[in-house]
Coordinates of all heavy atoms in Angstrom, one line a residue:
M649 N 25.8 66.6 -32.6 CA 24.4 66.5 -32.6 C 23.9 65.2 -33.2 O 24.4 64.9 -34.3 CB 23.8 67.7 -33.4 CG 22.3 67.6 -33.7 SD 21.7 68.9 -34.7 CE 21.0 70.0 -33.5
P650 N 23.1 64.4 -32.6 CA 22.6 63.1 -33.1 C 21.8 63.4 -34.4 O 21.1 64.4 -34.5 CB 21.8 62.5 -32.0 CG 21.5 63.6 -31.1 CD 22.5 64.7 -31.3
R651 N 21.9 62.4 -35.3 CA 21.1 62.5 -36.5 C 20.7 61.1 -36.9 O 21.4 60.1 -36.7 CB 21.9 63.2 -37.7 CG 23.2 62.4 -38.0 CD 24.2 63.4 -38.7 NE 25.4 62.6 -38.9 CZ 26.3 62.3 -38.0 NH1 26.1 62.7 -36.7 NH2 27.4 61.7 -38.3
S652 N 19.5 61.0 -37.5 CA 18.9 59.8 -37.9 C 18.9 59.7 -39.4 O 18.5 60.6 -40.1 CB 17.5 59.6 -37.4 OG 17.5 59.5 -35.9
I653 N 19.4 58.5 -39.9 CA 19.5 58.3 -41.3 C 18.6 57.1 -41.7 O 18.7 56.0 -41.1 CB 21.0 57.9 -41.7 CG1 22.0 58.9 -41.2 CG2 21.1 57.7 -43.2 CD1 21.9 60.3 -41.8
K654 N 17.7 57.3 -42.7 CA 16.9 56.2 -43.1 C 17.7 55.2 -43.8 O 18.4 55.5 -44.8 CB 15.7 56.8 -44.0 CG 14.7 55.7 -44.4 CD 13.5 56.3 -45.0 CE 13.7 56.7 -46.4 NZ 12.5 57.1 -47.1
V655 N 17.6 53.9 -43.4 CA 18.4 52.9 -44.0 C 17.6 51.8 -44.7 O 18.2 51.0 -45.5 CB 19.3 52.3 -42.9 CG1 20.3 53.3 -42.4 CG2 18.5 51.6 -41.8
A656 N 16.3 51.7 -44.4 CA 15.6 50.5 -45.0 C 14.1 50.7 -44.8 O 13.7 51.6 -44.1 CB 16.0 49.2 -44.3
K657 N 13.4 49.9 -45.6 CA 11.9 49.8 -45.3 C 11.7 48.6 -44.5 O 12.3 47.5 -44.8 CB 11.2 49.7 -46.7 CG 11.2 51.1 -47.5 CD 10.2 52.0 -46.8 CE 9.9 53.2 -47.7 NZ 9.0 54.2 -47.0
A658 N 10.8 48.6 -43.6 CA 10.5 47.5 -42.7 C 10.1 46.3 -43.5 O 10.5 45.1 -43.2 CB 9.5 47.9 -41.7
Y659 N 9.4 46.5 -44.5 CA 8.9 45.3 -45.3 C 9.9 44.7 -46.1 O 9.7 43.6 -46.7 CB 7.6 45.7 -46.1 CG 7.8 46.9 -47.0 CD1 8.6 46.9 -48.1 CD2 7.1 48.1 -46.6 CE1 8.7 48.1 -48.9 CE2 7.3 49.3 -47.4 CZ 8.1 49.2 -48.5 OH 8.2 50.4 -49.3
D660 N 11.1 45.3 -46.3 CA 12.2 44.7 -47.0 C 13.0 43.6 -46.2 O 13.8 42.9 -46.8 CB 13.1 45.7 -47.6 CG 12.5 46.5 -48.7 OD1 11.6 46.0 -49.4 OD2 13.0 47.7 -48.9
I661 N 12.8 43.6 -44.9 CA 13.6 42.7 -44.1 C 12.6 41.9 -43.3 O 12.0 42.3 -42.3 CB 14.6 43.4 -43.1 CG1 15.4 44.4 -43.9 CG2 15.4 42.4 -42.4 CD1 16.3 45.3 -43.1
D662 N 12.4 40.6 -43.7 CA 11.4 39.8 -43.0 C 11.9 39.4 -41.6 O 13.1 39.3 -41.4 CB 11.1 38.5 -43.9 CG 10.4 38.8 -45.2 OD1 9.7 39.8 -45.2 OD2 10.6 38.1 -46.1
P663 N 10.9 39.0 -40.8 CA 11.3 38.5 -39.4 C 12.3 37.3 -39.6 O 12.0 36.4 -40.5 CB 10.0 38.0 -38.8 CG 9.0 38.9 -39.5 CD 9.5 39.1 -40.9
G664 N 13.3 37.3 -38.8 CA 14.3 36.2 -38.9 C 15.4 36.4 -40.0 O 16.2 35.6 -40.2
E665 N 15.3 37.6 -40.6 CA 16.3 37.9 -41.7 C 17.1 39.1 -41.3 O 16.8 39.9 -40.4 CB 15.5 38.2 -43.0 CG 14.7 37.0 -43.5 CD 15.5 35.9 -44.0 OE1 16.7 36.1 -44.5 OE2 15.1 34.7 -43.9
G666 N 18.2 39.3 -42.1 CA 19.0 40.5 -41.9 C 19.4 41.1 -43.3 O 19.1 40.5 -44.3
A667 N 19.9 42.3 -43.3 CA 20.3 42.9 -44.5 C 21.5 43.9 -44.2 O 21.6 44.3 -43.1 CB 19.2 43.7 -45.1
T668 N 22.3 44.1 -45.2 CA 23.4 45.0 -45.1 C 23.0 46.3 -45.7 O 22.5 46.4 -46.9 CB 24.7 44.5 -45.8 OG1 25.1 43.3 -45.1 CG2 25.8 45.5 -45.6
V669 N 23.2 47.4 -45.0 CA 22.9 48.8 -45.5 C 24.2 49.6 -45.3 O 25.1 49.3 -44.5 CB 21.7 49.4 -44.8 CG1 20.5 48.6 -45.0 CG2 22.0 49.7 -43.3
I670 N 24.3 50.7 -46.0 CA 25.4 51.6 -45.9 C 24.8 53.0 -45.5 O 24.0 53.5 -46.2 CB 26.2 51.7 -47.1 CG1 26.8 50.3 -47.5 CG2 27.4 52.7 -47.0 CD1 27.6 50.3 -48.7
A671 N 25.3 53.5 -44.4 CA 24.8 54.9 -44.0 C 26.1 55.6 -43.4 O 26.8 55.0 -42.7 CB 23.8 54.7 -42.9
E672 N 26.2 56.8 -43.8 CA 27.3 57.7 -43.4 C 28.7 57.0 -43.8 O 29.7 57.1 -43.0 CB 27.3 57.9 -41.9 CG 26.0 58.6 -41.4 CD 26.1 60.1 -41.5 OE1 26.8 60.7 -40.7 OE2 25.4 60.7 -42.3
G673 N 28.6 56.2 -44.8 CA 29.8 55.5 -45.3 C 30.2 54.2 -44.4 O 31.2 53.6 -44.6
I674 N 29.3 53.8 -43.5 CA 29.5 52.7 -42.6 C 28.6 51.5 -43.0 O 27.4 51.7 -43.3 CB 29.2 53.1 -41.2 CG1 30.1 54.3 -40.8 CG2 29.4 51.9 -40.2 CD1 29.7 54.9 -39.4
R675 N 29.2 50.4 -43.1 CA 28.4 49.2 -43.4 C 27.7 48.7 -42.1 O 28.4 48.4 -41.1 CB 29.2 48.0 -44.0 CG 29.8 48.4 -45.4 CD 30.7 47.3 -45.8 NE 30.1 46.0 -46.0 CZ 29.5 45.6 -47.1 NH1 29.5 46.4 -48.2 NH2 28.9 44.5 -47.2
I676 N 26.4 48.6 -42.2 CA 25.6 48.2 -41.0 C 24.7 47.0 -41.3 O 24.1 47.0 -42.4 CB 24.8 49.4 -40.5 CG1 25.7 50.6 -40.1 CG2 23.8 49.1 -39.4 CD1 24.9 51.9 -39.9
A677 N 24.7 46.1 -40.4 CA 23.8 44.9 -40.5 C 22.5 45.2 -39.7 O 22.6 45.5 -38.5 CB 24.5 43.7 -40.1
V678 N 21.4 45.1 -40.4 CA 20.1 45.4 -39.8 C 19.3 44.0 -39.7 O 19.3 43.3 -40.7 CB 19.3 46.4 -40.5 CG1 17.9 46.6 -39.9 CG2 20.0 47.8 -40.6
F679 N 18.8 43.7 -38.6 CA 18.1 42.4 -38.4 C 16.7 42.7 -37.9 O 16.4 43.6 -37.1 CB 18.9 41.6 -37.4 CG 20.2 41.2 -37.8 CD1 21.3 42.0 -37.4 CD2 20.4 40.2 -38.7 CE1 22.6 41.7 -37.9 CE2 21.7 39.8 -39.2 CZ 22.8 40.6 -38.7
N680 N 15.8 41.8 -38.3 CA 14.4 41.8 -37.8 C 14.2 40.6 -36.9 O 14.2 39.4 -37.4 CB 13.5 41.7 -39.1 CG 12.0 41.7 -38.7 OD1 11.7 41.4 -37.5 ND2 11.2 42.1 -39.6
V681 N 14.1 40.9 -35.6 CA 13.9 39.8 -34.6 C 12.4 39.9 -34.2 O 12.0 40.7 -33.4 CB 14.8 39.9 -33.4 CG1 14.5 38.8 -32.4 CG2 16.3 39.9 -33.8
D682 N 11.6 39.0 -34.8 CA 10.2 39.0 -34.5 C 9.5 40.4 -34.6 O 8.7 40.8 -33.7 CB 10.0 38.4 -33.0 CG 10.5 37.0 -32.9 OD1 10.4 36.3 -33.9 OD2 11.0 36.7 -31.8
G683 N 9.9 41.1 -35.6 CA 9.2 42.4 -35.9 C 9.9 43.6 -35.2 O 9.5 44.7 -35.4
E684 N 11.0 43.3 -34.5 CA 11.7 44.4 -33.8 C 13.1 44.5 -34.5 O 13.8 43.4 -34.7 CB 11.9 44.0 -32.3 CG 12.5 45.1 -31.5 CD 12.6 44.6 -30.0 OE1 11.5 44.7 -29.3 OE2 13.6 44.2 -29.6
F685 N 13.5 45.7 -34.9 CA 14.7 45.8 -35.6 C 15.9 46.2 -34.7 O 15.8 46.9 -33.7 CB 14.5 46.9 -36.7 CG 13.6 46.5 -37.8 CD1 12.2 46.6 -37.7 CD2 14.1 45.8 -38.9 CE1 11.4 46.2 -38.7 CE2 13.2 45.3 -39.9 CZ 11.9 45.5 -39.8
H686 N 17.1 45.6 -35.1 CA 18.3 45.9 -34.4 C 19.4 46.1 -35.4 O 19.4 45.6 -36.5 CB 18.6 44.7 -33.5 CG 17.6 44.4 -32.5 ND1 17.4 45.0 -31.3 CD2 16.5 43.5 -32.6 CE1 16.4 44.6 -30.7 NE2 15.8 43.7 -31.4
A687 N 20.5 46.8 -35.0 CA 21.6 47.2 -35.9 C 22.9 47.0 -35.2 O 23.1 47.5 -34.1 CB 21.4 48.6 -36.5
I688 N 23.8 46.3 -35.9 CA 25.2 46.2 -35.5 C 26.1 46.4 -36.7 O 25.6 46.5 -37.8 CB 25.5 44.8 -34.8 CG1 25.2 43.7 -35.8 CG2 24.7 44.6 -33.5 CD1 25.6 42.3 -35.3
S689 N 27.4 46.6 -36.4 CA 28.3 46.7 -37.5 C 28.2 45.5 -38.4 O 28.0 44.4 -37.9 CB 29.8 46.8 -37.0 OG 30.7 46.7 -38.0
D690 N 28.3 45.7 -39.7 CA 28.2 44.6 -40.7 C 29.5 43.8 -40.7 O 29.5 42.7 -41.2 CB 27.9 45.2 -42.1 CG 27.7 44.1 -43.1 OD1 26.8 43.2 -42.9 OD2 28.5 44.0 -44.0
T691 N 30.6 44.4 -40.2 CA 31.9 43.8 -40.4 C 32.3 43.0 -39.2 O 32.5 43.5 -38.1 CB 33.0 45.0 -40.6 OG1 32.5 45.8 -41.7 CG2 34.3 44.4 -40.9
C692 N 32.4 41.7 -39.5 CA 32.8 40.8 -38.4 C 34.2 41.1 -37.9 O 35.1 41.4 -38.8 CB 32.8 39.3 -38.9 SG 33.3 38.1 -37.7
V693 N 34.5 41.1 -36.6 CA 35.8 41.5 -36.1 C 36.8 40.4 -36.3 O 38.0 40.6 -36.0 CB 35.7 41.9 -34.6 CG1 34.9 43.1 -34.4 CG2 35.0 40.7 -33.8
H694 N 36.4 39.2 -36.7 CA 37.4 38.2 -37.0 C 38.2 38.5 -38.2 O 39.3 39.0 -38.1 CB 36.7 36.8 -37.1 CG 37.7 35.7 -37.3 ND1 37.3 34.5 -37.9 CD2 38.9 35.5 -36.8 CE1 38.4 33.7 -37.9 NE2 39.3 34.3 -37.2
V695 N 37.7 38.3 -39.4 CA 38.4 38.7 -40.6 C 37.5 39.4 -41.6 O 37.8 39.4 -42.8 CB 39.2 37.6 -41.3 CG1 40.4 37.2 -40.5 CG2 38.3 36.4 -41.6
G696 N 36.4 40.1 -41.1 CA 35.7 41.0 -41.9 C 34.6 40.6 -42.8 O 34.1 41.3 -43.6
A697 N 34.1 39.4 -42.6 CA 32.9 38.9 -43.4 C 31.7 39.8 -43.0 O 31.6 40.5 -42.0 CB 32.6 37.5 -43.1
S698 N 30.7 39.7 -43.9 CA 29.5 40.5 -43.8 C 28.5 39.8 -42.9 O 27.9 38.8 -43.3 CB 28.9 40.8 -45.2 OG 27.6 41.3 -45.0
L699 N 28.2 40.4 -41.7 CA 27.3 39.8 -40.8 C 25.9 39.9 -41.3 O 25.0 39.1 -41.0 CB 27.4 40.4 -39.4 CG 28.8 40.2 -38.7 CD1 28.8 40.9 -37.4 CD2 29.0 38.7 -38.5
G700 N 25.6 40.9 -42.2 CA 24.3 41.0 -42.8 C 23.9 39.8 -43.6 O 22.8 39.5 -43.9
E701 N 25.0 39.0 -44.0 CA 24.8 37.8 -44.8 C 24.8 36.6 -44.0 O 24.7 35.5 -44.5 CB 25.8 37.7 -45.9 CG 25.8 38.9 -46.9 CD 26.9 38.9 -47.9 OE1 27.6 37.9 -48.0 OE2 27.0 39.8 -48.7
G702 N 24.8 36.8 -42.7 CA 24.9 35.6 -41.8 C 23.5 35.1 -41.5 O 22.5 35.5 -42.1
W703 N 23.4 34.1 -40.6 CA 22.2 33.4 -40.3 C 21.7 33.9 -38.9 O 22.4 33.7 -37.9 CB 22.4 31.9 -40.3 CG 22.8 31.5 -41.7 CD1 22.0 31.3 -42.8 CD2 24.2 31.2 -42.1 NE1 22.8 30.9 -43.9 CE2 24.1 30.9 -43.5 CE3 25.4 31.3 -41.5 CZ2 25.2 30.6 -44.3 CZ3 26.5 31.0 -42.3 CH2 26.4 30.7 -43.6
L704 N 20.5 34.3 -38.9 CA 19.9 34.8 -37.6 C 19.1 33.7 -37.0 O 18.3 33.0 -37.6 CB 19.0 36.0 -37.9 CG 18.4 36.7 -36.7 CD1 19.4 37.3 -35.8 CD2 17.4 37.8 -37.2
R705 N 19.4 33.5 -35.7 CA 18.6 32.5 -34.9 C 18.4 33.1 -33.6 O 19.4 33.4 -32.9 CB 19.3 31.2 -34.8 CG 18.5 30.2 -34.1 CD 19.0 28.8 -34.3 NE 18.1 27.8 -33.7 CZ 18.3 26.5 -33.7 NH1 19.3 26.0 -34.3 NH2 17.4 25.7 -33.1
D706 N 17.1 33.3 -33.2 CA 16.8 34.0 -32.0 C 17.5 35.4 -32.0 O 17.3 36.1 -33.0 CB 17.1 33.2 -30.7 CG 16.4 31.9 -30.7 OD1 15.2 31.9 -31.1 OD2 16.9 30.9 -30.3
D707 N 18.3 35.7 -31.0 CA 18.9 37.0 -30.9 C 20.3 37.0 -31.5 O 21.0 38.0 -31.5 CB 19.1 37.5 -29.5 CG 17.7 37.8 -28.9 OD1 16.7 37.9 -29.6 OD2 17.7 38.0 -27.6
F708 N 20.8 35.9 -32.1 CA 22.2 35.8 -32.5 C 22.3 35.6 -34.0 O 21.5 34.8 -34.6 CB 22.9 34.6 -31.8 CG 23.2 34.9 -30.4 CD1 22.3 34.7 -29.4 CD2 24.5 35.4 -30.1 CE1 22.6 35.0 -28.1 CE2 24.8 35.7 -28.8 CZ 23.9 35.5 -27.8
V709 N 23.3 36.3 -34.6 CA 23.6 36.1 -36.0 C 25.0 35.3 -36.0 O 25.9 35.6 -35.2 CB 23.8 37.4 -36.8 CG1 24.9 38.3 -36.2 CG2 24.0 37.1 -38.3
S710 N 25.0 34.3 -36.9 CA 26.2 33.5 -37.1 C 26.9 34.1 -38.3 O 26.3 34.2 -39.4 CB 25.9 32.1 -37.3 OG 25.3 31.5 -36.1
C711 N 28.2 34.4 -38.1 CA 29.0 34.9 -39.3 C 29.0 33.9 -40.4 O 29.3 32.7 -40.1 CB 30.4 35.3 -38.8 SG 31.5 35.8 -40.1
P712 N 28.9 34.3 -41.6 CA 28.8 33.3 -42.7 C 30.2 32.7 -43.0 O 30.2 31.6 -43.7 CB 28.3 34.1 -43.9 CG 28.7 35.5 -43.6 CD 28.6 35.6 -42.1
L713 N 31.3 33.2 -42.5 CA 32.6 32.7 -42.9 C 33.1 31.6 -41.9 O 33.4 30.5 -42.3 CB 33.6 33.8 -42.9 CG 34.7 33.7 -44.0 CD1 34.2 33.3 -45.3 CD2 35.5 35.0 -44.0
H714 N 33.1 31.9 -40.6 CA 33.6 30.9 -39.6 C 32.6 30.7 -38.5 O 33.0 29.9 -37.5 CB 34.9 31.4 -39.1 CG 35.9 31.7 -40.1 ND1 36.3 33.0 -40.4 CD2 36.6 31.0 -41.0 CE1 37.1 33.1 -41.4 NE2 37.4 31.9 -41.8
G715 N 31.5 31.3 -38.5 CA 30.4 30.9 -37.5 C 30.5 31.6 -36.2 O 29.7 31.3 -35.3
W716 N 31.4 32.6 -36.0 CA 31.3 33.4 -34.7 C 29.9 34.0 -34.6 O 29.3 34.4 -35.6 CB 32.3 34.5 -34.7 CG 33.8 34.0 -34.6 CD1 34.3 32.8 -34.8 CD2 34.9 34.9 -34.2 NE1 35.6 32.8 -34.6 CE2 36.0 34.0 -34.2 CE3 35.0 36.2 -33.9 CZ2 37.3 34.5 -33.9 CZ3 36.3 36.7 -33.6 CH2 37.4 35.9 -33.6
R717 N 29.4 34.0 -33.4 CA 28.0 34.4 -33.1 C 28.0 35.7 -32.4 O 28.7 35.9 -31.4 CB 27.3 33.3 -32.4 CG 27.0 32.1 -33.2 CD 26.5 30.9 -32.4 NE 25.9 31.2 -31.2 CZ 24.6 31.2 -30.9 NH1 23.7 30.9 -31.9 NH2 24.1 31.5 -29.7
F718 N 27.2 36.6 -32.8 CA 27.0 37.9 -32.1 C 25.5 38.2 -31.8 O 24.7 37.9 -32.6 CB 27.5 39.1 -33.0 CG 29.0 38.9 -33.4 CD1 29.4 38.2 -34.5 CD2 30.0 39.5 -32.5 CE1 30.8 38.1 -34.8 CE2 31.3 39.3 -32.8 CZ 31.7 38.6 -34.0
N719 N 25.3 38.7 -30.6 CA 24.0 39.1 -30.2 C 23.6 40.4 -31.0 O 24.3 41.4 -30.9 CB 23.9 39.3 -28.7 CG 22.5 39.6 -28.2 OD1 21.8 40.4 -28.8 ND2 22.2 38.9 -27.2
V720 N 22.6 40.4 -31.8 CA 22.2 41.5 -32.6 C 21.6 42.7 -31.8 O 21.5 43.8 -32.3 CB 21.3 41.1 -33.8 CG1 21.9 40.1 -34.6 CG2 19.9 40.7 -33.2
K721 N 21.3 42.4 -30.5 CA 20.7 43.4 -29.6 C 21.8 44.2 -28.9 O 21.6 45.3 -28.5 CB 19.7 42.8 -28.6 CG 18.5 42.3 -29.3 CD 17.5 41.7 -28.3 CE 16.3 41.2 -29.0 NZ 15.3 40.6 -28.0
T722 N 23.0 43.5 -28.7 CA 24.1 44.1 -27.9 C 25.4 44.3 -28.7 O 26.2 45.0 -28.3 CB 24.3 43.3 -26.6 OG1 24.8 42.0 -27.0 CG2 23.0 43.1 -25.8
G723 N 25.6 43.4 -29.7 CA 26.8 43.4 -30.4 C 27.8 42.4 -29.8 O 28.9 42.2 -30.3
A724 N 27.5 41.8 -28.6 CA 28.4 41.0 -27.9 C 28.5 39.6 -28.5 O 27.5 39.0 -29.0 CB 28.0 40.9 -26.5
S725 N 29.7 39.1 -28.5 CA 30.0 37.7 -28.9 C 29.5 36.8 -27.8 O 29.6 37.1 -26.6 CB 31.4 37.5 -29.3 OG 31.7 36.1 -29.2
D726 N 29.2 35.5 -28.2 CA 28.9 34.6 -27.1 C 30.1 33.7 -26.8 O 30.0 32.8 -26.0 CB 27.7 33.6 -27.5 CG 28.0 32.8 -28.7 OD1 29.1 33.0 -29.3 OD2 27.2 31.9 -29.0
M727 N 31.3 34.1 -27.4 CA 32.5 33.3 -27.1 C 33.3 33.9 -25.9 O 33.8 33.2 -25.1 CB 33.4 33.4 -28.3 CG 33.1 32.4 -29.4 SD 34.4 32.2 -30.6 CE 34.9 33.8 -30.9
H728 N 33.4 35.3 -26.0 CA 34.3 35.9 -25.0 C 33.7 37.4 -24.8 O 33.4 38.0 -25.8 CB 35.7 36.0 -25.4 CG 36.7 36.4 -24.4 ND1 36.8 37.7 -24.0 CD2 37.5 35.7 -23.6 CE1 37.7 37.8 -23.0 NE2 38.1 36.6 -22.7
R729 N 33.7 37.8 -23.5 CA 33.1 39.1 -23.3 C 33.9 40.3 -23.9 O 33.3 41.4 -24.1 CB 33.0 39.4 -21.8 CG 34.3 39.5 -21.0 CD 34.1 40.0 -19.6 NE 35.4 40.1 -19.0 CZ 35.8 39.2 -18.0 NH1 35.0 38.2 -17.7 NH2 37.0 39.4 -17.5
D730 N 35.2 40.1 -24.3 CA 35.9 41.2 -24.9 C 35.7 41.2 -26.4 O 36.3 42.1 -27.1 CB 37.4 41.0 -24.6 CG 37.7 41.3 -23.1 OD1 36.9 42.0 -22.5 OD2 38.7 40.9 -22.6
I731 N 35.0 40.3 -27.0 CA 34.8 40.2 -28.4 C 33.4 40.8 -28.7 O 32.4 40.2 -28.2 CB 35.0 38.8 -29.0 CG1 36.4 38.3 -28.7 CG2 34.6 38.8 -30.5 CD1 36.6 36.8 -29.1
C732 N 33.4 41.9 -29.5 CA 32.1 42.4 -29.8 C 32.2 43.3 -31.1 O 33.2 43.6 -31.5 CB 31.5 43.3 -28.6 SG 32.5 44.7 -28.2
V733 N 31.0 43.6 -31.6 CA 30.9 44.5 -32.8 C 30.1 45.7 -32.3 O 29.4 45.6 -31.3 CB 30.3 43.9 -34.0 CG1 31.2 42.8 -34.6 CG2 28.9 43.3 -33.7
E734 N 30.3 46.8 -33.0 CA 29.6 48.0 -32.6 C 28.1 47.8 -32.8 O 27.6 47.2 -33.7 CB 30.0 49.2 -33.4 CG 29.4 50.5 -33.0 CD 30.0 51.7 -33.7 OE1 30.8 51.5 -34.6 OE2 29.6 52.8 -33.4
R735 N 27.3 48.4 -31.8 CA 25.9 48.3 -31.9 C 25.4 49.8 -32.2 O 26.0 50.7 -31.7 CB 25.3 47.9 -30.5 CG 23.8 47.9 -30.4 CD 23.4 47.9 -28.9 NE 22.1 48.4 -28.8 CZ 21.7 49.7 -28.7 NH1 22.7 50.6 -28.7 NH2 20.5 50.1 -28.6
F736 N 24.3 49.9 -33.0 CA 23.8 51.2 -33.3 C 22.3 51.3 -32.8 O 21.6 50.3 -32.8 CB 23.8 51.4 -34.9 CG 25.1 51.4 -35.5 CD1 25.7 50.2 -35.9 CD2 25.8 52.6 -35.6 CE1 27.0 50.2 -36.5 CE2 27.1 52.6 -36.2 CZ 27.7 51.4 -36.6
D737 N 22.0 52.5 -32.4 CA 20.6 52.8 -32.1 C 19.8 52.8 -33.3 O 20.2 53.3 -34.4 CB 20.4 54.1 -31.4 CG 20.9 54.1 -30.0 OD1 20.9 53.0 -29.3 OD2 21.4 55.2 -29.5
I738 N 18.6 52.2 -33.3 CA 17.7 52.1 -34.4 C 16.3 52.3 -34.0 O 15.9 52.0 -32.9 CB 17.9 50.7 -35.1 CG1 17.3 50.6 -36.5 CG2 17.4 49.6 -34.2 CD1 17.7 49.3 -37.2
H739 N 15.5 52.9 -34.9 CA 14.1 53.1 -34.6 C 13.3 53.1 -35.9 O 13.8 53.2 -37.0 CB 13.8 54.4 -33.8 CG 14.1 55.6 -34.5 ND1 15.4 56.2 -34.6 CD2 13.3 56.4 -35.2 CE1 15.3 57.3 -35.3 NE2 14.0 57.5 -35.7
Q740 N 12.0 52.8 -35.7 CA 11.1 52.7 -36.8 C 10.0 53.8 -36.7 O 9.5 54.1 -35.7 CB 10.4 51.3 -36.8 CG 9.5 51.1 -37.9 CD 9.0 49.6 -38.0 OE1 9.4 48.8 -37.2 NE2 8.1 49.4 -38.9
S741 N 9.8 54.4 -37.9 CA 8.7 55.4 -38.0 C 7.8 55.0 -39.2 O 8.3 55.1 -40.3 CB 9.2 56.8 -38.1 OG 8.2 57.7 -38.3
G742 N 6.6 54.5 -39.0 CA 5.9 53.9 -40.1 C 6.6 52.7 -40.6 O 7.0 51.8 -39.9
T743 N 6.8 52.8 -41.9 CA 7.6 51.6 -42.6 C 9.0 52.0 -42.7 O 9.8 51.1 -43.3 CB 7.0 51.3 -43.9 OG1 7.0 52.5 -44.8 CG2 5.5 50.8 -43.8
D744 N 9.5 53.1 -42.3 CA 10.9 53.5 -42.4 C 11.7 53.1 -41.2 O 11.3 53.3 -40.0 CB 11.0 55.0 -42.6 CG 10.4 55.5 -43.9 OD1 10.4 54.7 -44.9 OD2 9.9 56.6 -44.0
I745 N 12.9 52.6 -41.5 CA 13.9 52.2 -40.4 C 15.0 53.2 -40.4 O 15.6 53.5 -41.5 CB 14.4 50.8 -40.7 CG1 13.3 49.8 -40.8 CG2 15.4 50.4 -39.6 CD1 12.5 49.6 -39.6
F746 N 15.3 53.7 -39.3 CA 16.4 54.8 -39.1 C 17.5 54.3 -38.2 O 17.2 53.6 -37.2 CB 15.8 56.0 -38.5 CG 14.8 56.7 -39.4 CD1 13.4 56.4 -39.3 CD2 15.2 57.8 -40.2 CE1 12.5 57.0 -40.1 CE2 14.2 58.4 -41.0 CZ 12.9 58.0 -40.9
V747 N 18.7 54.6 -38.5 CA 19.8 54.4 -37.6 C 20.3 55.8 -37.1 O 20.3 56.7 -37.9 CB 21.0 53.7 -38.3 CG1 22.2 53.7 -37.4 CG2 20.6 52.2 -38.6
R748 N 20.5 55.8 -35.8 CA 20.9 57.1 -35.2 C 22.4 57.2 -35.0 O 23.0 56.2 -34.5 CB 20.2 57.3 -33.8 CG 20.4 58.7 -33.3 CD 20.0 58.8 -31.8 NE 18.7 58.1 -31.6 CZ 17.5 58.6 -31.6 NH1 17.3 59.8 -31.9 NH2 16.5 57.8 -31.3
F749 N 23.0 58.3 -35.4 CA 24.5 58.5 -35.2 C 24.7 59.6 -34.3 O 24.0 60.6 -34.3 CB 25.1 58.8 -36.6 CG 25.1 57.7 -37.6 CD1 24.1 57.5 -38.4 CD2 26.2 56.8 -37.6 CE1 24.0 56.4 -39.3 CE2 26.2 55.7 -38.5 CZ 25.1 55.6 -39.4
E750 N 25.7 59.5 -33.4 CA 26.1 60.5 -32.5 C 27.4 61.2 -33.1 O 28.2 60.5 -33.6 CB 26.4 60.0 -31.1 CG 25.2 59.2 -30.5 CD 24.1 60.1 -30.0 OE1 24.4 61.3 -29.8 OE2 23.0 59.6 -29.8
D751 N 27.5 62.4 -32.9 CA 28.8 63.1 -33.3 C 29.9 62.8 -32.3 O 29.7 62.5 -31.2 CB 28.6 64.6 -33.4 CG 27.9 64.9 -34.8 OD1 28.0 64.1 -35.7 OD2 27.2 65.9 -34.8
Ligands
FES197 S1 35.1 36.4 -40.5 FE1 33.5 36.2 -39.1 S2 33.9 34.4 -37.9 FE2 35.6 34.7 -39.3

């Protein structure tokens, strides 16, 4: 059964910024792209740096360690179609940001 976990307040993540949250024991990077929130795994698939600490430009976050770039809306890398991080469903209710988990 799907469940939604509150992970952040909308006003804590400014447009163009990201943050790392932990929900269900999973590190998740949440990004604000022009007021729209997106969530992907926080753990870079290269050697595990925190994508929530990366730099967001348009729809892409650059990993802070070696600069691999991931689309925060899809989790896909711009280097190769087989390189991606997990993407999570996210929604906003009032000022609360929720990530949805499926069983
Ligand atoms: S750890 Fe992310 S690019 Fe190397």
